[in-house]
Amino acid sequence: MNNSEINAYMSEWMRNVAEVPVVMSSRIRLARNLNNHVHPLMFPSEEAGFRVINEVQDALPEMSIQRLDMMDQQSKYKLVAKHLISPELIKQPASALLANEDESLSVMVNEEDHIRIQAMGNDLSLHSLYEKASEIDDKLDKALDISFDENLGYLTTCPTNIGTGMRASVMVHLPGLSIMNRMNRIAQTISRFGFTIRGIYGEGSQVYGHIYQISNQLTLGNTEDHIIESLNEVVQQIINEELQIRDQLNEHNHSETLDRVYRSLGILKYSRLMNMEEASLRLSDVKLGIDLGYLELEHFKFNEMMIAMQTPFLLDDEDDRSVNEIRAQILREHIN
Amino acid sequence: MNNSEINAYMSEWMRNVAEVPVVMSSRIRLARNLNNHVHPLMFPSEEAGFRVINEVQDALPEMSIQRLDMMDQQSKYKLVAKHLISPELIKQPASALLANEDESLSVMVNEEDHIRIQAMGNDLSLHSLYEKASEIDDKLDKALDISFDENLGYLTTCPTNIGTGMRASVMVHLPGLSIMNRMNRIAQTISRFGFTIRGIYGEGSQVYGHIYQISNQLTLGNTEDHIIESLNEVVQQIINEELQIRDQLNEHNHSETLDRVYRSLGILKYSRLMNMEEASLRLSDVKLGIDLGYLELEHFKFNEMMIAMQTPFLLDDEDDRSVNEIRAQILREHIN
């Protein structure tokens, strides 16, 4: 698997990102529904779903469309890898994805809600992402009859999304806090402020590579700006704690941290079998080593490697080797 | 630490040994005592010890002598590393080592017994080692009054050595049998034939790098030739079992074995902290990989690496780094 093949699993906006510590990406997601259609989970027929897709497509002519019923399995998985669609969208009989050119702006049609607008970026830029998502929202609002209640706000399929319909989230790499077993305390603290911390693929998903998604739990009774401002503060606080604990590791556990980083590099370069959990942790160690200045690896991109190590599952498989064998090979080739 | 420094911890006969599987070295040791002296552990004064040393030295003028009371700590430890003397010999107030040029033949004076003749070689050559040791034995017998009983044979300080006074031993590398947890069964089996299996440094010592010493337990009621013949058979049987189990590992656990070997190589090349137990196991894995044809490492000598990884303890220490840090560096430099 070469770099161009890995690029098939990455959106344009994800590429050539500067390697900075902690923040990996941000996302704003707005859930919207249409008044004159039943909820996607209640569609009586595929046609009901296609009617929604057509209406949304007409409202956003500048975006390209991919209808999932016309795609092969491989192509759908690529969209999941890019975080453009959820695995749930694949299960829907009539669903689609609209996206702009670099895929930083997209709209899922007929997931749990009729419309889910997504704006993604590779730094902590929630306000500007919200503005971009709002532009799409405004266009849809002009063209379509969006479900909105004067008291409650936007109406959604799941009550946890009612109100702003907004989920703001930031993906952060927290090796220091993870190694020092601080994540439980942090999860407890931020939940008191209405935020939640989860794995890479959202709710209930496993944590890989010490990467966490921090997002708002509450969508009701607060303005979008206020939610974003609070999340920014929470994330900034976590960034500070992470950087502090890295300083401590570097100062008081220097040999152990150096050893941890270099061992993981050696194992990535030499192992012949590697499961996904170990791969993610070894990559996390190497990224920590780069951030701490222990290592310089010109071509190492943490987000690319995290995607590369997931690709064995996505390969057309005429290969009779195990997934862990293929993963080890991909990692060896990419880390050298 | 460069190669010439490591060579200071190796005898001439240990160097430039071909890398073969399993058998690392063989040794014959003969325990003898003098009639007209009390046992070394009972010496009333240092002078009593020096008198024994002088008698032995006079009987073996062709051998060079090192008196331990005239040596610094470092030099004594080098002799221990070379297996020329036991740690016990260092504790004696008046003790010495006599040796031929390549140190394959040597005599410890005033360890537990007055005289311990040792012949060492790097293959399974117990008969010829016994012949070499016997030549020294004959010279001593002509010049000195050796304790010998017509019924019991040679008399020794510890009753377990009475009779032939001979300990024949073979050092074997058994990674396959160790990985597959067969060592307990093998130890039980061979003990029924009067043999015992131990770690590198003899009785009660820890096993490092899957290297074991197999030797006769009984010295009484058997001829030397018969003991050696039985030990040869036992060792040959263990070699066969080890090679069989390696074939199985290679055939039925190919990926896992390859992964094990390459991971250990990667860790040896990259780690920054390494304790002695782990180092020995990683080196054992790499040696297994070479034996199985997975790896070619031109300059890798298993016995040299096993000695190199022990040297941090032996260094004059103005270095404020930990022993595990120094060991990791020595291994990195020698494996590349």
Side-chain angles (χ1 to χ4, degrees):
Chain A
M1 161 151 293
N2 57 36
N3 280 321
S4 73
E5 287 174 295
I6 288 182
N7 278 339
Y9 299 96
M10 298 181 77
S11 297
E12 189 62 37
W13 70 266
M14 293 176 174
R15 288 177 211 153
N16 304 314
V17 175
E19 287 287 299
V20 295
V22 189
V23 172
M24 298 184 68
S25 64
S26 305
R27 175 175 14 191
I28 292 288
R29 186 265 284 149
L30 302 176
R32 301 290 184 257
N33 285 279
L34 301 177
N35 268 333
N36 41 359
H37 296 271
V38 296
H39 283 169
L41 302 175
M42 312 266 286
F43 282 148
S45 65
E46 286 189 16
E47 283 63 37
F50 291 133
R51 279 196 294 275
V52 172
I53 293 174
N54 289 337
E55 286 189 22
V56 175
Q57 188 180 9
D58 289 346
L60 299 170
E62 75 280 15
M63 285 185 143
S64 64
I65 185 162
Q66 293 178 278
R67 267 177 47 180
L68 266 69
D69 58 304
M70 297 169 75
M71 294 169 73
D72 60 27
Q73 210 58 12
Q74 180 98 349
S75 305
K76 292 181 206 171
Y77 284 139
K78 282 182 188 169
L79 297 181
V80 174
K82 292 171 172 180
H83 294 273
L84 284 170
I85 67 171
S86 63
E88 285 68 36
L89 193 73
I90 296 177
K91 295 175 197 150
Q92 290 288 82
S95 60
L97 175 77
L98 288 80
N100 69 349
E101 205 168 342
D102 71 357
E103 300 179 325
S104 62
L105 258 176
S106 60
V107 179
M108 268 197 282
V109 186
N110 294 338
E111 207 239 28
E112 183 181 288
D113 297 296
H114 291 131
I115 294 165
R116 289 200 159 187
I117 306 165
Q118 296 179 110
M120 301 191 276
N122 50 48
D123 51 5
L124 187 54
S125 54
L126 292 166
H127 282 299
S128 82
L129 293 176
Y130 176 64
E131 275 170 36
K132 285 180 192 162
S134 292
E135 283 174 31
I136 303 293
D137 192 28
D138 291 345
K139 285 180 190 164
L140 292 172
D141 208 22
K142 269 180 202 144
L144 304 169
D145 184 10
I146 302 287
S147 307
F148 185 82
D149 178 278
E150 283 300 327
N151 291 317
L152 292 171
Y154 293 101
L155 300 177
T156 55
T157 302
C158 178
T160 60
N161 291 318
I162 285 176
T164 59
M166 184 181 79
R167 182 85 63 216
S169 64
V170 181
M171 200 94 92
V172 282
H173 178 227
L174 305 176
L177 293 167
S178 305
I179 291 168
M180 300 302 279
N181 297 316
R182 303 288 168 84
M183 289 313 300
N184 278 344
R185 187 183 56 71
I186 285 176
Q188 283 168 18
T189 307
I190 70 169
S191 78
R192 281 193 273 122
F193 294 94
F195 295 98
T196 184
I197 197 157
R198 304 181 291 189
I200 299 184
Y201 288 104
E203 217 156 342
S205 69
Q206 205 192 327
V207 174
Y208 285 107
H210 300 140
I211 300 172
Y212 301 84
Q213 217 182 115
I214 302 169
S215 60
N216 61 309
Q217 221 155 7
L218 301 174
T219 53
L220 189 67
N222 242 326
T223 65
E224 288 85 349
D225 278 343
H226 187 257
I227 292 170
I228 288 172
E229 209 32 66
S230 306
L231 180 55
N232 270 341
E233 279 169 26
V234 162
V235 170
Q236 199 52 60
Q237 179 62 31
I238 290 176
I239 293 172
N240 292 343
E241 288 191 39
E242 171 66 21
L243 294 179
Q244 265 173 29
I245 216 161
R246 289 187 191 185
D247 281 349
Q248 285 172 29
L249 282 173
N250 187 35
E251 222 172 293
H252 304 301
N253 297 78
H254 184 79
S255 307
E256 291 75 11
T257 310
L258 198 68
D259 184 54
R260 179 189 191 101
V261 165
Y262 273 94
R263 270 176 188 255
S264 285
L265 179 63
I267 288 168
L268 286 168
K269 282 186 176 222
Y270 281 88
S271 75
R272 291 297 189 271
L273 288 176
M274 180 79 76
N275 67 34
M276 191 153 131
E277 187 174 0
E278 183 186 359
S280 77
L281 292 173
R282 301 286 175 205
L283 290 170
S284 170
D285 286 342
V286 169
K287 167 69 169 150
L288 174 65
I290 292 170
D291 289 348
L292 285 173
Y294 294 169
L295 282 176
E296 276 187 53
L297 290 179
E298 216 183 328
H299 301 294
F300 183 92
K301 296 279 184 190
F302 187 40
N303 64 347
E304 283 184 24
M305 295 299 293
M306 284 296 293
I307 288 165
M309 71 108 185
Q310 295 173 48
T311 50
F313 292 114
L314 309 177
L315 291 176
D316 270 328
D317 214 324
E318 299 189 9
D319 210 321
D320 66 349
R321 294 176 304 159
S322 73
V323 160
N324 288 345
E325 233 172 312
I326 299 170
R327 176 178 297 108
Q329 190 195 333
I330 292 172
L331 289 167
R332 279 201 311 281
E333 287 169 0
H334 276 82
I335 206 122
N336 277 306
Chain B
M1 161 151 292
N2 56 37
N3 281 320
S4 72
E5 286 174 297
I6 288 182
N7 278 339
Y9 299 96
M10 299 181 76
S11 296
E12 190 62 37
W13 69 267
M14 293 174 173
R15 288 178 212 154
N16 303 315
V17 176
E19 286 287 297
V20 295
V22 189
V23 171
M24 297 184 68
S25 64
S26 306
R27 177 178 9 196
I28 292 287
R29 187 264 284 148
L30 302 175
R32 301 290 184 257
N33 285 278
L34 301 176
N35 268 332
N36 41 0
H37 295 271
V38 296
H39 284 168
L41 302 175
M42 312 267 284
F43 282 147
S45 66
E46 287 188 16
E47 283 63 37
F50 291 134
R51 278 196 295 275
V52 172
I53 293 172
N54 290 338
E55 286 189 23
V56 175
Q57 188 180 8
D58 289 345
L60 299 170
E62 74 280 13
M63 286 185 139
S64 65
I65 184 161
Q66 292 179 279
R67 268 178 46 181
L68 268 70
D69 58 304
M70 295 169 76
M71 293 168 73
D72 59 29
Q73 209 60 11
Q74 181 96 348
S75 305
K76 292 180 205 171
Y77 284 138
K78 283 182 188 171
L79 297 182
V80 174
K82 293 170 172 182
H83 294 272
L84 284 169
I85 68 170
S86 62
E88 285 67 38
L89 193 73
I90 296 176
K91 296 175 197 149
Q92 291 288 82
S95 60
L97 174 77
L98 286 81
N100 70 349
E101 206 168 339
D102 72 356
E103 300 178 328
S104 61
L105 258 177
S106 61
V107 178
M108 268 197 283
V109 186
N110 293 337
E111 207 240 28
E112 183 183 289
D113 296 296
H114 291 131
I115 295 166
R116 290 198 157 189
I117 306 165
Q118 296 179 111
M120 301 190 275
N122 49 50
D123 51 5
L124 187 55
S125 53
L126 293 166
H127 282 299
S128 81
L129 292 176
Y130 176 64
E131 275 170 37
K132 285 179 192 164
S134 291
E135 283 174 31
I136 302 292
D137 191 29
D138 292 345
K139 285 180 190 165
L140 292 171
D141 207 24
K142 270 179 201 144
L144 304 170
D145 184 9
I146 303 288
S147 307
F148 185 82
D149 178 277
E150 283 302 324
N151 291 315
L152 292 172
Y154 292 101
L155 299 177
T156 55
T157 301
C158 178
T160 61
N161 292 319
I162 284 176
T164 59
M166 182 181 81
R167 182 86 62 217
S169 64
V170 181
M171 200 95 94
V172 281
H173 178 227
L174 305 175
L177 293 167
S178 305
I179 290 168
M180 299 303 278
N181 296 315
R182 303 289 169 84
M183 289 312 300
N184 277 343
R185 187 183 55 73
I186 286 176
Q188 282 168 18
T189 307
I190 70 169
S191 79
R192 281 192 274 121
F193 294 92
F195 295 98
T196 183
I197 197 159
R198 305 182 289 190
I200 300 185
Y201 288 105
E203 218 155 345
S205 70
Q206 206 192 328
V207 174
Y208 285 107
H210 300 141
I211 300 171
Y212 301 84
Q213 217 183 113
I214 302 170
S215 60
N216 62 307
Q217 221 156 6
L218 301 175
T219 54
L220 190 66
N222 242 327
T223 65
E224 288 86 348
D225 278 343
H226 186 258
I227 293 171
I228 288 172
E229 210 33 65
S230 306
L231 180 55
N232 270 340
E233 280 168 28
V234 161
V235 169
Q236 199 54 59
Q237 178 63 31
I238 290 176
I239 292 172
N240 291 344
E241 290 191 37
E242 171 66 20
L243 295 179
Q244 265 173 29
I245 215 161
R246 289 188 191 185
D247 281 349
Q248 286 172 28
L249 283 172
N250 187 34
E251 224 172 292
H252 305 300
N253 298 79
H254 184 78
S255 306
E256 292 74 12
T257 310
L258 199 68
D259 184 54
R260 180 189 189 101
V261 165
Y262 273 95
R263 270 175 189 254
S264 285
L265 179 63
I267 289 169
L268 286 167
K269 280 188 176 220
Y270 281 89
S271 76
R272 292 298 189 268
L273 288 177
M274 180 78 76
N275 66 34
M276 192 152 130
E277 188 175 0
E278 182 186 1
S280 77
L281 292 173
R282 302 286 176 206
L283 290 170
S284 170
D285 286 342
V286 169
K287 168 69 171 153
L288 174 64
I290 292 169
D291 290 349
L292 285 172
Y294 295 169
L295 281 175
E296 277 187 53
L297 290 178
E298 215 183 329
H299 301 294
F300 184 93
K301 296 278 184 193
F302 186 40
N303 65 346
E304 282 184 25
M305 295 300 293
M306 284 296 294
I307 288 165
M309 71 108 186
Q310 296 173 49
T311 50
F313 293 113
L314 309 177
L315 292 175
D316 269 329
D317 213 323
E318 297 189 11
D319 210 321
D320 65 350
R321 293 175 306 159
S322 73
V323 161
N324 289 345
E325 233 172 313
I326 298 169
R327 177 178 297 106
Q329 190 195 333
I330 292 172
L331 289 167
R332 279 202 310 283
E333 288 170 0
H334 276 81
I335 206 123
N336 276 307

